[in-house]
Amino acid sequence: MITTYARAIGAALATAMRADPSVVVLGEDVSVGGPFTVTTGLAEEFGAGRVLDTPISEAAICGVAIGAAQSGLRPVLEIMYVDFLTLALDQLVNQAAKARFMSGGQLGVPMVLRTQGGAGQRGAAQHSQSLESWLCHVPGLKVVMPSRAVDAAGLLASAIADPDPVVVVENKILYPRREQLPEVVEPVPIGVAATLRPGRDVTVLAMSRMVSESLDAADQLAAEGVEVEVVDPRTLVPLDLPAVLDSVRRTHHLVVAHEAVAHGGFGAEIAATVQKAAFDDLDAPVERVGAPFQPIPLSPGLEDAYLPDAASVVAAVRRVLGR
Amino acid sequence: MDAEQTRAVLAMMWRIRAFEERVGQLKRADEVHGLIHLSIGQEGVAAAVCGQLRTADAVYSGHRAHGHALAKGASMARALAELMGRRDGLCRGMGGSMHLVDVEHGFLGATGVVGGNIPLALGSALALRAAGRDAVAVVFFGDGAVQAGLFAESVNLAALWRLPVLLVCENNGFAEFSPRSAHTPVERVRDVVAPFGLAGGTVDGNDVDAVWDAVAGLLPAVRAGEGPALLECLTHRLRGHYEGDPDRYREAVSSAEWRERDPIARLQRAATGDGRLDPDELPGFERAARDEVERAVLAARESPFPDAALAASLVYGR
């Protein structure tokens, strides 16, 4: 079945809602599909009682999802842009992430927060950010960041079934991408990486949109005789560290690639962790690919130059290999 | 309130009073840990509201939450053990005073962030309604929370979705260290929410009979799904914002004034005056409460401190 990343997510939501009446979807404009059409059709099938349009009140609707999760529902909250998640961070960080811990295990918050980030649509500095590293810093949250439709659907199914708050960070550039999917998409377990291309010379650990950029980079480098192994962690928290280390111990070189600002990005955490765990296996310091430390500009030429792409990955691979 | 209800509410107020006075002592003795906010003087609201709730009703509260937790049914010994950071505390010593939770009795929790729990009560109400139950959610908050954006968002949403939620504002006139007038030109919380058409009103929160009657008047409609209500209870906290607060921002209340305002003394006067209670039975309420507190102190002291492995095991459910 040919589908898109956006449609695969919508289908996964519908599948979960058919299977479990406690699953509800809420967010701004979700009944009409929102700006990216992900939730289109859900209101028609499941009604306004389970597909709830909300006011533009990110903090309150996040709190509503938390409270609903604590009292028996399995809410899937959509925050339209990850940039707006800032408005809901008290709720997510102080209420959702800590509820189980602070209550001594009495409370669980089985909610999913879907949001999307990434630049490339001339959205400028407040509609284009990649803020996942903030979320990864908070104990109690799980963070998944699918790069493919099959993972977006499969991880969402696992996230809905999970007992903890899971943030699914989608990517607006990926929504329309077409992909061949099996008729029945199996859940993708949270915390399991996927090796999308084997290679023996260097590991590129790439996230979200940077996965396809890294696969393009691998094609280019293959022409030069460099074999790149592309690994998608799929889940950032909890990170599948064994899979990363397994790859690094074979290739002895690691490049971490994400679209987020490199400064303080999740790549820094991965680099530090891998260098500690596999220092003797590395032939070179871990290289990072990320955006420069500045807000995202509107002007097309500037935005294009700002965004890491396949060429950035190629350059990083050359640096790590000393070529 | 009839005689039995009065006895139950008075007993609960004394339990809260005795608990909090002892907590204040234990805080100064460094046996209770963390930031401690006492509600002495405000017990009537907790007792009169929670006294009319069922276990299935969900209650949320803020940082001044001891009274709400006890009134919803939490064990005094386990609440005290929690404040002392012990393993047998309600939250196994992980949360403390500002994060009390007792799921078994429907106390879904206090929060240390002012106003932070108000939308959670809405979510809980949404879930209770979706389950087809006639349970309600209740959230207690102070007048300081009313100036938070979350309050405005939540009132709008509760009204828009006609959620079965009762918002209870304990308006003690002070937001942390500042009088209400320093934070807002709107004196009454009731006026803040006026355009939303919530049921409810403003009562003297230290007149326990008045709080009881107001809740009795509001609760059936909230339970029946006729929409949310907001009850503003004008009250007074005798203590500072937190234990250790020098409290220089308020004029001290004279003992005569306090006897006039004290919700326990007022209820005792009213209930003996109209014959609901016999003056001879009054001392028993205080004595029983103070005895229970001492038993709770002994039990909590027996409880070990939690270990790091327990803490590490509580971050995720899977």
Side-chain angles (χ1 to χ4, degrees):
Chain A
M1 165 180 66
I2 299 278
T3 188
T4 65
Y5 185 94
R7 283 210 299 274
I9 296 165
L13 284 170
T15 300
M17 293 177 81
R18 281 177 210 126
D20 181 353
S22 69
V23 177
V24 299
V25 167
L26 70 161
E28 295 155 14
D29 305 311
V30 289
S31 73
V32 293
F36 303 104
T37 71
V38 171
T39 52
T40 301
L42 294 179
E44 287 74 9
E45 180 173 352
F46 301 103
R50 293 180 67 193
V51 182
L52 294 101
D53 282 327
T54 70
I56 305 171
S57 304
E58 281 83 3
I61 63 177
C62 188
V64 164
I66 297 165
Q70 289 177 350
S71 287
L73 291 180
R74 288 200 170 250
V76 181
L77 169 68
E78 178 176 307
I79 296 290
M80 194 183 282
Y81 284 75
V82 75
D83 313 73
F84 312 155
L85 186 58
T86 51
L87 293 155
L89 276 180
D90 160 59
Q91 293 296 305
L92 187 65
V93 173
N94 285 322
Q95 313 297 345
K98 296 168 175 59
R100 179 182 300 281
F101 185 86
M102 292 195 305
S103 68
Q106 294 177 80
L107 289 172
V109 184
M111 70 176 275
V112 176
L113 191 158
R114 289 182 44 249
T115 187
Q116 59 78 30
Q121 288 194 337
R122 315 308 183 209
Q126 296 174 339
H127 287 73
S128 307
Q129 296 172 86
S130 295
L131 299 175
E132 67 278 359
S133 71
W134 294 1
L135 304 169
C136 296
H137 195 64
V138 180
L141 297 182
K142 292 173 180 169
V143 183
V144 303
M145 207 169 173
S147 70
R148 304 179 297 171
V150 68
D151 292 330
L155 283 167
L156 181 57
S158 295
I160 291 170
D162 199 271
D164 297 310
V166 181
V167 183
V168 181
V169 186
E170 299 160 5
N171 183 289
K172 60 176 75 65
I173 293 294
L174 300 180
Y175 281 138
R177 287 209 185 152
R178 295 163 69 79
E179 190 175 315
Q180 178 71 41
L181 250 62
E183 285 302 322
V184 178
V185 178
E186 294 296 325
V188 172
I190 289 173
V192 178
T195 300
L196 300 184
R197 177 184 176 121
R200 66 177 179 213
D201 296 326
V202 57
T203 302
V204 174
L205 187 68
M207 298 161 216
S208 191
R209 188 186 61 83
M210 288 310 291
V211 170
S212 57
E213 298 295 321
S214 298
L215 290 168
D216 287 350
D219 282 342
Q220 293 175 38
L221 289 158
E224 302 172 17
V226 175
E227 284 191 25
V228 176
E229 178 150 302
V230 178
V231 178
D232 178 356
R234 301 194 287 190
T235 300
L236 306 191
V237 179
L239 182 68
D240 187 356
L241 188 62
V244 179
L245 293 177
D246 174 68
S247 177
V248 168
R249 286 186 172 126
R250 285 184 283 101
T251 65
H252 307 291
H253 299 88
L254 177 62
V255 172
V256 186
H258 55 54
E259 184 182 314
V261 168
H263 182 104
F266 195 60
E269 178 63 28
I270 294 173
T273 303
V274 170
Q275 284 175 163
K276 174 90 175 169
F279 188 73
D280 291 339
D281 295 297
L282 287 168
D283 287 348
V286 175
E287 279 288 337
R288 288 190 286 150
V289 171
F293 194 54
Q294 69 169 53
I296 298 151
L298 168 78
S299 195
L302 290 180
E303 189 191 31
D304 292 347
Y306 173 95
L307 273 182
D309 57 10
S312 323
V313 176
V314 169
V317 168
R318 290 199 172 115
R319 286 198 304 274
V320 81
L321 292 175
R323 297 158 72 107
Chain B
M1 287 190 287
D2 64 24
E4 273 320 295
Q5 290 162 339
T6 304
R7 285 191 185 94
V9 166
L10 186 59
M12 183 60 72
M13 292 169 76
W14 270 116
R15 291 180 73 229
I16 299 168
R17 175 72 54 89
F19 178 83
E20 292 209 305
E21 288 182 348
R22 194 72 172 95
V23 165
Q25 293 170 353
L26 292 168
K27 171 65 181 168
R28 290 186 286 281
D30 202 28
E31 281 197 74
V32 154
H33 305 288
L35 299 171
I36 301 295
H37 307 83
L38 300 183
S39 65
I40 294 171
Q42 305 184 180
E43 300 93 337
V45 181
V49 174
C50 294
Q52 299 178 71
L53 299 179
R54 308 167 182 166
T55 302
D57 296 330
V59 168
Y60 289 86
S61 177
H63 56 279
R64 202 175 301 285
H66 304 156
H68 309 131
L70 293 177
K72 192 63 175 41
S75 142
M76 189 187 280
R78 294 199 63 204
L80 187 61
E82 184 59 31
L83 270 57
M84 292 168 71
R86 307 291 180 134
R87 201 175 66 193
D88 296 301
L90 285 171
C91 307
R92 304 167 90 177
M94 301 299 149
S97 169
M98 290 189 289
H99 307 116
L100 292 175
V101 172
D102 182 13
V103 169
E104 185 189 343
H105 294 100
F107 186 70
L108 298 193
T111 182
V113 181
V114 171
N117 263 359
I118 299 174
L120 273 65
L122 272 57
S124 199
L126 181 73
L128 294 168
R129 182 169 72 185
R133 302 163 66 175
D134 67 349
V136 300
V138 178
V139 57
F140 293 92
F141 51 93
D143 49 298
V146 174
Q147 284 67 252
L150 210 42
F151 176 80
E153 291 186 14
S154 298
V155 167
N156 178 61
L157 202 48
L160 183 71
W161 288 356
R162 301 181 62 77
L163 291 170
V165 62
L166 174 64
L167 306 160
V168 181
C169 179
E170 295 171 323
N171 185 346
N172 63 23
F174 274 83
E176 298 184 352
F177 314 110
S178 303
R180 181 161 177 80
S181 59
H183 286 185
T184 172
V186 186
E187 188 182 355
R188 290 284 170 258
V189 175
R190 184 77 207 117
D191 295 333
V192 177
V193 302
F196 294 94
L198 305 186
T202 303
V203 295
D204 178 346
N206 284 23
D207 177 347
V208 186
D209 283 307
V211 178
W212 180 279
D213 290 344
V215 173
L218 294 171
L219 206 50
V222 177
R223 216 178 266 296
E226 291 169 28
L230 183 144
L231 183 64
E232 176 181 24
C233 302
L234 304 179
T235 183
H236 177 83
R237 63 168 151 83
L238 188 67
R239 312 282 302 186
H241 168 52
Y242 64 95
E243 284 307 277
D245 175 5
D247 205 3
R248 294 200 186 96
Y249 49 91
R250 302 189 301 177
E251 288 191 27
V253 177
S254 73
S255 53
E257 264 182 294
W258 173 238
R259 274 194 300 279
E260 210 43 51
R261 291 186 192 182
D262 179 356
I264 292 181
R266 280 178 69 174
L267 180 59
Q268 293 186 157
R269 278 198 301 274
T272 51
D274 61 23
R276 272 179 289 170
L277 299 184
D278 187 311
D280 292 344
E281 62 181 308
L282 292 183
F285 291 103
E286 178 174 3
R287 196 166 51 241
R290 298 212 187 274
D291 287 350
E292 185 187 0
V293 172
E294 289 318 304
R295 290 195 301 275
V297 173
L298 294 177
R301 282 178 178 153
E302 288 297 308
S303 176
F305 287 101
D307 59 23
L310 175 61
S313 75
L314 293 170
V315 183
Y316 291 102
R318 183 157 72 209

